[in-house]
Amino acid sequence: VDAVAFLCSVAWIAAAARELTECLAAIGDAVGASPASLSVTVLAIGNSLGDLATDVATARSGQPTMAVAACFSGPLFNMAVGLGGSFAIATWRRGGGGGGPPPSGTHRHPGGGPLPLAAHPTVAIGFGFLIAGLVATAALVPMRGYVVTRGHGFGLIALYATYMACAVAVEVLTDGGGGG
């Protein structure tokens, strides 16, 4: 019974996520915003609010190590399992017999066709800022004897604010950034 309840919960969450994604895309079409710009703002912030509340509550309850571990483990799970699973399912559904040659630089596997992704400058900028934050944290925290300072926290917040400013600038200067 518990397994059925869990699977039903997952199905409802998936249905709600699909609807929210469609609503966000419709709003983007209505206001002329690209899907990438909506993803790095509205979707990213909305997706992270639950983690933020949980991490803050965990740290304030005297478990900062658990909060840090959750802060890195949650996004890692989303990237590895969320994207990995989604890409595996999407390419499997595409099948291998899509007709015509695969896109340049890709190879069609018998179990599924390649999944082309739209290139968008905001995504590349996001990768750069993500790597900068991870490298800075991975270098500074051990150097300080695994003690995190308020300055490091403010530095990471400033890094995110800079990223958002760059993402908005790219969106405005490129009229939607292309890759739509």
Side-chain angles (χ1 to χ4, degrees):
V1 174
D2 289 339
V4 172
F6 175 76
L7 292 175
C8 286
S9 298
V10 169
W12 275 107
I13 291 169
R18 252 190 321 275
E19 288 302 314
L20 286 172
T21 302
E22 291 299 321
C23 288
L24 192 58
I27 291 169
D29 288 342
V31 299
S34 73
S37 66
L38 292 172
S39 296
V40 301
T41 55
V42 178
L43 190 60
I45 292 169
N47 191 33
S48 300
L49 287 177
D51 288 343
L52 173 65
T54 303
D55 294 342
V56 169
T58 303
R60 294 185 89 187
S61 72
Q63 299 291 330
T65 302
M66 185 185 294
V68 170
C71 186
F72 286 101
S73 299
L76 178 61
F77 178 83
N78 286 341
M79 289 283 292
V81 177
L83 278 180
S86 299
F87 289 166
I89 290 168
T91 55
W92 176 72
R93 285 184 177 169
R94 292 174 69 84
S104 176
T106 62
H107 176 71
R108 184 167 280 141
H109 298 281
L115 183 65
L117 300 175
H120 194 281
T122 306
V123 175
I125 291 168
F127 282 141
F129 276 91
L130 175 63
I131 290 168
L134 290 174
V135 167
T137 298
L140 291 174
V141 171
M143 281 177 25
R144 293 182 179 141
Y146 292 91
V147 174
V148 182
T149 64
R150 180 175 293 173
H152 186 76
F154 284 131
L156 290 174
I157 292 169
L159 182 72
Y160 183 74
T162 305
Y163 161 66
M164 288 303 297
C166 289
V168 169
V170 164
E171 194 64 26
V172 169
L173 294 175
T174 61
D175 191 29

